Structure formats: structure tokens, C-alpha cells
Amino acid sequence: MVDRRKWREDFPIRWEEDHYMTRRELARFLTLGSGLLALVNGLIAAVGLTRPSLTVPARRIAGIEDVPVGGSMLFTFPTIDDPCILIRDDDGQLSAFSQVCTHLSCAVVHRPLERVLACPCHRGAFSSTDGRPLVGPPTRRLPRITIEQRGADIVATGVQL
Ligand code: FES
């Protein structure tokens, strides 16, 4: 019996040559595709959580007497073109960060009473203890300068981006 319906004349598809995909094949494709996307997202998240560090030659940046308790001082590291800020909090704990705001590169200033590094350009602020952004447009933390106290000297040993 020959099928003579009108639509078959308008759309002459040869069914035996068409490629069919079974539901099982479609489900397998979707499962593998979703698994692959989840794996890639996991890898991206893992890379984002690790902070790469820059290995640079260690250098003395100050003496401990140069930084008053509750105060700060400016220095450059690892090159003369990289402004940084060294902070000594009320407990005497030392920490150092890049002074370049991660939003649009203005210089941050230390506000010890608020325990922040404030950016005057767009009212951004970072924690002075770990450099994470607190308010304003910046979304990335300030690079941390790793430091060591060697006797009376404060030595910068690297940069955590
Ligand atoms: S440059 Fe620092 S908040 Fe915009």
C-alpha cells in the first residue's frame, strides 16, 4: 500500500535514511554532558580558591621600631614600582598588602580605628587583617605581602596574589 498523503509530497523524507536517537542515547548524552560541566565548574572553583604566590628574593623592608603599634608605613616590594603598606595592629601583629586597590588601582590608606584599608576613589574598603574587600566596588582581595620578623628586621619574602 502506497502512502499518498499530501504532506508526504511536500516533505519527502526518506525515513529509512534518517538518523534516529533513542531516549537511552539522549539520556546518556545529557548525563555525560552534565557531568562534564560539573567537573569543569569544580576545577574552576578549585583554581579560584587557591591563591597563587609569586616567589621573589626576600628583602628587608623595615626595622620593627619603624612601625608604631597601631600604625603603618609604606614601602615598595618586589620592585620600586609596587607600592605596599605594612601594618602593625594594636596587638603588635604585622601584616602587609599591596597598596594598589583591586578596583581601579588607586592607593589605599590605613584607617586603624576602623581596621580597614580604605580606597578614597570610590569608597572601597578592605580588611586590614586579611585584605578581603568589605565595601564598595572592589571584588578581589588585596595581594598579601608575606613577611617575616628576623630579629629587629622585617623581611618581605613573597607576594600572594
Ligand atoms: S579604585 Fe579603589 S574603589 Fe575604585
Side-chain angles (χ1 to χ4, degrees):
M1 179 176 140
V2 178
D3 190 358
R4 296 197 182 279
R5 285 181 275 191
K6 175 84 172 108
W7 66 269
R8 290 204 182 272
E9 294 166 18
D10 294 338
F11 303 100
I13 299 171
R14 297 179 152 269
W15 294 107
E16 58 279 353
E17 294 174 9
D18 198 13
H19 177 71
Y20 286 103
M21 177 181 267
T22 63
R23 269 183 280 178
R24 183 177 303 236
E25 288 171 331
L26 178 64
R28 186 180 302 140
F29 171 76
L30 292 176
T31 303
L32 290 174
S34 299
L36 189 64
L37 284 175
L39 182 69
V40 169
N41 278 333
L43 288 174
I44 290 171
V47 168
L49 289 176
T50 58
R51 296 183 76 182
S53 54
L54 215 60
T55 306
V56 291
R59 182 166 56 83
R60 179 189 185 276
I61 53 172
I64 190 70
E65 72 284 352
D66 298 331
V67 196
V69 172
S72 61
M73 67 163 275
L74 303 179
F75 65 101
T76 58
F77 186 80
T79 74
I80 196 80
D81 297 321
D82 300 310
C84 301
I85 187 164
L86 175 64
I87 298 164
R88 188 172 179 191
D89 67 19
D90 294 335
D91 306 327
Q93 193 72 32
L94 292 166
S95 54
F97 301 95
S98 166
Q99 202 192 4
V100 180
C101 178
T102 56
H103 178 225
L104 291 177
S105 302
C106 289
V108 296
V109 292
H110 185 215
R111 290 204 183 132
L113 294 179
E114 301 158 57
R115 292 184 174 238
V116 298
L117 292 164
C119 180
C121 289
H122 309 104
R123 298 185 179 182
F126 302 85
S127 163
S128 65
T129 54
D130 60 12
R132 72 191 141 82
L134 299 175
V135 293
T139 56
R140 291 173 293 129
R141 60 178 59 214
L142 290 171
R144 177 188 284 274
I145 311 300
T146 52
I147 52 174
E148 290 174 13
Q149 187 174 347
R150 297 179 185 169
D153 293 333
I154 301 169
V155 177
T157 57
V159 181
Q160 279 184 336
L161 300 174

